[in-house]
Amino acid sequence: MLYKNIYESKLVEKELYSFWLKNHLFDPIEKSKSTKNFSIVLPPPNVTGHLHIGHALDFSIQDVIIRYKKLQGFRTIWIPGADHAGIATQTKFEKILKERKIPRHSLTDQEFLTQLNKWALEQADFIHSQEAKMGFALSYKHEAFTLDKNIYDLIYKEFVALYKDGLIYRANKLVNWDIKLQTAISDIEVEYKITKSKMYYFKYFLQESPDNFLIVATTRPETMFVDTNLFVNPDDKRYSKYIGKHVINPINGEVLQILSDHYIDINFGTGVMKCTPAHDFNDYALAQKFNIKDYHSVIDNNGKLNKYAKTKYADFSNIDRIVARDAIVADMSERGLVYKTEEYENNVGISQRTGVVIEPLLSLQWFVKMKPIVKQYRLLNKKNPVNFFPNRFKKTLDMWLNNIQDWCISRHLLYGHTIPAWYHKTTNEIYVGTTPPKNKSEYIKETDVLDTWFSSGLWPLALTKYAKTKNLGDFYPIDVLVTGHDIIYFWVARMLFQCSYIDHSIPLKNVILHGLVRDENNQKMSKSLGNVVDPMNVIEEYGADALRLFLLSSCPSSGQDIKFSQQQIKYYWSFLNKIWNCANLVDKNCNKKIVWESLHPVSKWIINKFNNFLKTFTKHFEKYNFILATKSIFDFVWNDFCNMYLELKNVIPESEKNNVIYALYKNILVVLHPFVPFITEYIYQDVYRDKKSIMLEAFPKQISSKNQDLKIVESFMNIVSAIRSIRIKHGIKNVKKISFYTNNKNIKLFSADLDLLNISILAKHDTKQKYIATVIGTFTIYILNDFEDENEQKINNEKILQQLQEEITRSENILSNKNFILKAPKEKVEIEKQKLVDYKNKYKELLAIKNKNN
């Protein structure tokens, strides 16, 4: 097939995904004693919407790893799935109903769930089509959904086990309440934003000395109705005499005792803090510490003030707490109890899901005791530790686990895994089990569902040991998990401690954490900013392979964010176009034999370059450093193979050239395949087709060669490259011979090869002629300048002099570094010293030419 000059991604990518699926190339091969297993589980995308550019990055990393491991001979599986994403999905579907002008409460709960499930399946189908366009090697035969029966069973198994071990309990505790969703949410679903508000200062008169008062500052006067105490720091000399005394709560006249604790910040406000355990987590902790029992919430689930806001002075009940704030301050001001008001900025908790202000409220919920579970995970992790890439996230996770609090796992929603609990109608006894109680009619079923992350936390087990296909247990624990570092607490941590609790094993061997994809201005992408990039639009223009190559070559091993760049995607498309055009140079009928001893030096050079490239690439890939791995690909494929070896094909015997190109091009395609699966499969099937698919090939090994000093070949190649650059710069056609002089006698070995390229070596350096001096490694060539005017020559010489001066400065700095002299190998020090001598000689030589011409 003759390949057109332009690579057409649509043509290439059109049918290949169906071919891979039809031939079951994404499913694990038959088990054998000689094959090692390798598994990845897909972080399940929410069924709430479509894949975005962040998914494209996340999934591309997983795909490149699974394809690479398959080529290495592993028995691989990448298990897909989707997350029901309770809160997110129910919220999104309620918005859709609103857009369709269908009142939510016009549907029964069952009707609502039926319609929601139908919509969720439609979303899952669309996600599948996006995954196909990106070329992801997912084993759909083993696909899972978090609401599948086998996952339900596993979730109930863990819930019951935790409950029986006393690690799950039901209690009336302070929780983060989302007033819009009407449910509790976890701590890590709360974002804190700097918000402009006011600080109010109130007078709390002393009971024992009615003419005196303490000033207390607060941003939330609406919660004063349920204050239990005032607190001061015992080291604060201003207030030490008041400890143990009492004040009158200005809002309702109740008596409050003054207590002391070192938690109180002496420098915040006035140094006197009101304690409201039912509306502040820090105050709640103080109440636990001081065994304060009698406290209540003054705000109800709808955000309105309740009966506790009705006092002898005024009635603020049934008013929204934000609206009531100004009315409360006005009332207190009239009674002379407001000392002052100031503008203030503070961190306000906002729901990630709805954007509304979170209310800490007392609520009867289900909780998990975290510390015992984390302790068990850490004991297991000591024996078989998880590897984090980058390693710094291990410390991040450890710090979070050190301060972990009990986890509120109940959600007041319809969509999700219903908590397996029943309440006796008469005795209120709680029954927890995987099946209903025998006398079911005497019980009321719990209607709350579990936090989505409770089910997601069992994902590695659910997809392997407890999979619905019943045959994937040997893929556990999971070899690699790839996900964004922003959900290390949400998901990664939960998988580690939940799976280790129920299975007594660490579920993950390696965790790769990456950053976000930001827009071209380095801003976070969001719908409100209108800067979201749809990967499907990029694929439409440049193809999936170009997008994948951009994402993978831009992904830092440090886990930092990456910046989207359309210009870079164009660059990677150009690289693929180069690969595409190379196919025209492959002779399918060559004899395919490479005999090292009989090879031309240039062929030996390219084979050595390939072997070094393979070593470098593998080293970086095994460390999941995709930036350096892809850089090694571009350096070898584009620079060494395409721009050097293929351009010198005229100096190499034809049969040898064809054999080397045939072997190297095939190896290049196989190495590239995990990164750009479509173009490599397409070319492989047309040019090689040794196997049914390139996916069934073995990852290349080094080509047999012998240790040989090929530095002089490298110098020859660099001379050709330098002269080619001059031809391009000055528009010199290949038919015009270019001559140069060098005192490096070894270059004369290539006189015949240079002659084939219309390049000749001058016998001597004629000082009457003008030259362009070019540095080639450790020596200089002087190209006869019969094509450039005098001014151009002076500018070029100045540039080279500047480059040499920079190298001299660099080398002198290195050699003046005592640590380098003491710690570096002697050979390296001697090499650097010789470099400095060579640079200075070249500089002196070129400067003499410059002065002579002047």
Side-chain angles (χ1 to χ4, degrees):
M1 169 181 211
L2 182 64
Y3 285 75
K4 296 178 182 178
N5 289 333
I6 299 298
Y7 159 59
E8 296 178 21
S9 59
K10 289 179 184 175
L11 171 70
V12 170
E13 297 173 5
K14 189 177 178 183
E15 305 291 342
L16 286 175
Y17 200 78
S18 298
F19 164 79
W20 289 324
L21 288 178
K22 182 181 176 182
N23 289 281
H24 307 286
L25 291 167
F26 300 157
D27 298 328
I29 59 175
E30 288 298 316
K31 205 171 173 182
S32 71
K33 291 181 180 179
S34 60
T35 55
K36 291 182 179 179
N37 292 332
F38 188 91
S39 57
I40 299 177
V41 290
L42 182 78
N46 294 353
V47 291
T48 51
H50 306 157
L51 301 183
H52 50 65
I53 196 72
H55 288 113
L57 168 65
D58 190 78
F59 295 6
S60 293
I61 294 171
Q62 296 168 72
D63 194 61
V64 77
I65 294 170
I66 207 72
R67 287 178 182 269
Y68 171 77
K69 288 295 181 181
K70 186 175 181 68
L71 291 170
Q72 284 192 319
F74 284 82
R75 179 173 173 254
T76 57
I77 188 169
W78 183 16
I79 314 173
D83 193 342
H84 70 283
I87 288 179
T89 304
Q90 183 168 322
T91 306
K92 180 72 177 283
F93 189 64
E94 285 173 351
K95 286 181 182 176
I96 289 170
L97 287 178
K98 192 174 181 180
E99 289 168 5
R100 294 174 182 172
K101 296 182 180 178
I102 300 173
R104 158 69 183 87
H105 295 291
S106 69
L107 302 173
T108 65
D109 288 351
Q110 190 54 52
E111 287 171 337
F112 175 80
L113 288 173
T114 300
Q115 289 195 28
L116 191 158
N117 284 323
K118 182 184 176 185
W119 174 79
L121 286 172
E122 291 169 359
Q123 300 309 302
D125 288 342
F126 189 84
I127 289 170
H128 286 167
S129 70
Q130 291 182 297
E131 291 166 346
K133 281 193 173 183
M134 288 292 293
F136 298 139
L138 294 158
S139 182
Y140 286 109
K141 178 181 176 182
H142 304 286
E143 185 177 21
F145 183 47
T146 48
L147 293 180
D148 287 344
K149 184 182 181 302
N150 63 302
I151 299 179
Y152 243 113
D153 293 342
L154 175 60
I155 290 164
Y156 280 6
K157 179 181 178 179
E158 174 154 53
F159 188 97
V160 172
L162 287 166
Y163 182 79
K164 287 182 177 178
D165 288 345
L167 298 177
I168 281 184
Y169 62 96
R170 191 173 187 238
N172 194 44
K173 293 179 65 174
L174 199 63
V175 298
N176 297 299
W177 188 262
D178 186 315
I179 286 166
K180 188 172 183 180
L181 287 176
Q182 286 292 290
T183 185
I185 62 173
S186 66
D187 293 344
I188 52 179
E189 290 172 299
V190 180
E191 293 179 342
Y192 288 89
K193 294 184 179 179
I194 299 292
T195 306
K196 289 184 178 180
S197 58
K198 291 182 179 180
M199 181 73 80
Y200 304 96
Y201 294 78
F202 296 104
K203 301 174 185 177
Y204 282 67
F205 282 88
L206 289 154
Q207 185 185 45
E208 290 85 358
S209 179
D211 294 332
N212 297 315
F213 58 84
L214 299 180
I215 300 171
V216 179
T218 181
T219 58
R220 303 207 61 193
E222 65 274 15
T223 65
M224 290 169 61
F225 295 103
V226 288
D227 289 352
T228 60
N229 298 86
L230 292 189
F231 273 86
V232 297
N233 192 304
D235 297 332
D236 193 338
K237 295 178 181 178
R238 295 174 297 172
Y239 304 117
S240 57
K241 64 182 177 181
Y242 299 117
I243 297 171
K245 296 187 182 297
H246 302 81
V247 293
I248 306 300
N249 188 335
I251 203 165
N252 57 14
E254 291 184 0
V255 177
L256 309 177
Q257 186 178 20
I258 302 169
L259 301 175
S260 66
D261 192 88
H262 284 101
Y263 163 76
I264 310 307
D265 185 351
I266 293 173
N267 299 314
F268 178 78
T270 63
V272 184
M273 188 193 85
K274 74 184 196 70
C275 181
T276 320
H279 293 290
D280 184 280
F281 285 97
N282 294 318
D283 295 4
Y284 184 80
L286 280 174
Q288 303 298 303
K289 182 177 179 179
F290 284 83
N291 201 29
I292 299 168
K293 300 285 188 185
D294 189 19
Y295 49 85
H296 314 276
S297 289
V298 70
I299 300 169
D300 66 17
N301 291 349
N302 297 306
K304 292 184 177 182
L305 300 184
N306 61 23
K307 63 180 181 180
Y308 293 105
K310 184 177 183 180
T311 72
K312 59 184 177 181
Y313 304 113
D315 184 359
F316 297 100
S317 59
N318 207 34
I319 302 174
D320 183 272
R321 81 275 192 216
I322 305 298
V323 175
R325 187 176 297 169
D326 289 341
I328 289 167
V329 174
D331 174 72
M332 300 259 277
S333 184
E334 281 183 19
R335 293 194 282 124
L337 297 172
V338 178
Y339 182 77
K340 66 175 179 177
T341 302
E342 292 177 342
E343 296 298 320
Y344 183 70
E345 285 189 348
N346 63 332
N347 269 329
V348 175
I350 305 294
S351 169
Q352 281 186 340
R353 299 295 180 190
T354 60
V356 302
V357 174
I358 286 298
E359 278 300 337
L361 297 180
L362 288 174
S363 183
L364 189 59
Q365 302 289 340
W366 288 89
F367 297 86
V368 179
K369 289 181 182 178
M370 292 308 306
K371 294 191 185 299
I373 298 174
V374 169
K375 183 179 179 181
Q376 179 173 315
Y377 154 67
R378 282 181 156 158
L379 287 172
L380 290 166
N381 195 53
K382 273 186 179 179
K383 298 175 184 176
N384 194 17
V386 185
N387 298 312
F388 283 88
F389 298 87
N391 190 54
R392 64 187 173 90
F393 284 113
K394 179 182 178 296
K395 187 176 180 181
T396 302
L397 179 62
D398 283 342
M399 288 175 64
W400 183 72
L401 292 175
N402 288 339
N403 300 296
I404 200 164
Q405 302 297 314
D406 286 0
W407 173 19
C408 177
I409 56 171
S410 47
R411 300 290 181 267
H412 192 56
L413 301 167
L414 282 176
Y415 193 55
H417 304 95
T418 310
I419 292 172
W422 289 258
Y423 309 104
H424 197 278
K425 294 176 181 177
T426 306
T427 65
N428 291 326
E429 171 201 356
I430 299 175
Y431 169 84
V432 170
T434 55
T435 57
K438 291 179 181 178
N439 44 347
K440 183 180 174 181
S441 61
E442 298 178 12
Y443 285 81
I444 298 172
K445 178 76 172 69
E446 171 66 83
T447 56
D448 278 3
V449 299
L450 288 163
D451 180 8
T452 298
W453 299 104
F454 191 91
S455 56
S456 301
L458 295 167
W459 197 237
L461 280 170
L463 270 58
T464 53
K465 285 189 173 184
Y466 294 84
K468 57 187 173 187
T469 45
K470 306 291 184 187
N471 60 352
L472 299 178
D474 52 343
F475 284 106
Y476 186 88
I478 303 304
D479 288 278
V480 168
L481 175 84
V482 179
T483 191
H485 62 65
D486 54 325
I487 58 171
I488 188 171
Y489 310 132
F490 281 99
W491 190 43
V492 178
R494 303 205 187 288
M495 281 189 287
L496 291 174
F497 58 65
Q498 279 185 257
C499 291
S500 62
Y501 173 79
I502 195 170
D503 194 66
H504 305 289
S505 64
I506 299 299
L508 308 168
K509 294 179 184 177
N510 301 286
V511 176
I512 301 172
L513 296 158
H514 59 78
L516 305 174
V517 182
R518 294 178 173 271
D519 73 5
E520 300 212 24
N521 298 313
N522 211 29
Q523 284 188 305
K524 188 175 179 180
M525 292 187 189
S526 71
K527 289 180 182 178
S528 60
L529 291 174
N531 62 348
V532 174
V533 174
D534 185 342
M536 298 303 113
N537 293 340
V538 179
I539 290 170
E540 181 68 21
E541 190 168 358
Y542 300 104
D545 284 339
L547 175 59
R548 289 168 60 114
L549 199 52
F550 160 70
L551 292 169
L552 290 163
S553 62
S554 306
C555 184
S557 59
S558 61
Q560 294 172 314
D561 295 347
I562 71 174
K563 188 164 71 171
F564 182 80
S565 170
Q566 190 157 321
Q567 194 63 38
Q568 283 290 299
I569 293 172
K570 286 181 184 177
Y571 169 81
Y572 294 118
W573 179 90
S574 298
F575 174 75
L576 296 177
N577 195 51
K578 190 81 154 177
I579 297 296
W580 179 258
N581 288 319
C582 283
N584 288 317
L585 301 175
V586 181
D587 181 1
K588 300 178 190 178
N589 300 314
C590 66
N591 66 27
K592 307 174 182 62
K593 289 181 181 179
I594 297 176
V595 181
W596 176 262
E597 285 76 14
S598 63
L599 289 178
H600 187 282
V602 171
S603 291
K604 289 181 178 180
W605 173 83
I606 194 63
I607 288 171
N608 260 17
K609 280 284 186 180
F610 171 75
N611 289 342
N612 290 333
F613 149 67
L614 206 59
K615 185 178 177 182
T616 303
F617 170 84
T618 305
K619 178 183 77 174
H620 293 312
F621 196 101
E622 293 291 342
K623 292 179 180 178
Y624 305 118
N625 191 328
F626 302 115
I627 285 184
L628 293 181
T630 51
K631 182 182 181 301
S632 71
I633 289 175
F634 301 137
D635 286 346
F636 173 74
V637 176
W638 202 321
N639 298 334
D640 298 332
F641 182 69
C642 294
N643 290 350
M644 297 293 280
Y645 188 75
L646 296 184
E647 291 293 330
L648 293 174
K649 57 184 181 293
N650 293 338
V651 307
I652 304 162
E654 188 171 356
S655 61
E656 174 189 319
K657 171 199 71 178
N658 290 341
N659 293 340
V660 171
I661 290 174
Y662 186 91
L664 286 181
Y665 189 62
K666 179 181 177 181
N667 284 340
I668 287 167
L669 291 178
V670 176
V671 173
L672 272 172
H673 175 73
F675 296 86
V676 286
F678 288 107
I679 189 173
T680 50
E681 180 74 83
Y682 189 93
I683 295 173
Y684 175 87
Q685 289 195 23
D686 177 57
V687 177
Y688 296 97
R689 207 174 180 86
D690 297 339
K691 297 183 183 294
K692 194 167 194 174
S693 164
I694 195 171
M695 290 184 71
L696 300 175
E697 281 286 352
F699 194 77
K701 294 180 180 178
Q702 293 199 347
I703 297 172
S704 179
S705 62
K706 292 182 180 178
N707 289 330
Q708 189 172 339
D709 187 358
L710 296 172
K711 286 180 182 176
I712 190 62
V713 185
E714 185 90 27
S715 298
F716 161 71
M717 305 292 276
N718 288 333
I719 288 171
V720 173
S721 179
I723 292 175
R724 188 191 305 134
S725 297
I726 283 174
R727 286 190 188 277
I728 293 168
K729 180 180 178 182
H730 296 280
I732 304 168
K733 294 181 179 179
N734 289 333
V735 293
K736 176 176 172 54
K737 182 163 282 191
I738 291 183
S739 303
F740 73 92
Y741 168 77
T742 179
N743 57 11
N744 189 324
K745 296 177 181 179
N746 292 324
I747 293 299
K748 291 179 180 179
L749 297 171
F750 293 93
S751 295
D753 294 321
L754 288 167
D755 194 53
L756 289 170
L757 299 169
N758 229 359
I759 301 170
S760 64
I761 303 174
L762 296 169
K764 62 179 182 177
H765 188 185
D766 186 351
T767 55
K768 294 178 182 179
Q769 299 289 343
K770 293 179 181 178
Y771 297 92
I772 295 175
T774 302
V775 178
I776 304 292
T778 57
F779 65 94
T780 306
I781 64 169
Y782 300 89
I783 302 168
L784 183 63
N785 190 353
D786 55 1
F787 47 79
E788 184 181 61
D789 64 33
E790 192 172 333
N791 187 50
E792 279 184 298
Q793 185 180 358
K794 284 182 179 179
I795 292 169
N796 282 328
N797 284 343
E798 285 295 338
K799 284 181 181 178
I800 295 167
L801 279 169
Q802 184 180 346
Q803 289 170 0
L804 284 168
Q805 184 57 62
E806 287 171 357
E807 286 301 317
I808 290 168
T809 303
R810 180 197 63 77
S811 189
E812 286 176 339
N813 288 338
I814 289 173
L815 291 170
S816 64
N817 186 330
K818 291 180 181 178
N819 286 332
F820 174 76
I821 301 298
L822 291 171
K823 296 178 180 179
K826 287 183 181 179
E827 297 85 356
K828 193 170 183 180
V829 174
E830 290 305 315
I831 289 170
E832 194 59 46
K833 285 180 179 178
Q834 186 58 50
K835 278 184 182 178
L836 182 58
V837 171
D838 292 338
Y839 291 142
K840 285 183 175 180
N841 288 339
K842 287 179 202 172
Y843 186 85
K844 186 178 178 181
E845 192 177 350
L846 191 59
L847 190 62
I849 294 171
K850 174 188 172 183
N851 293 334
K852 186 176 181 180
N853 290 336
N854 288 338

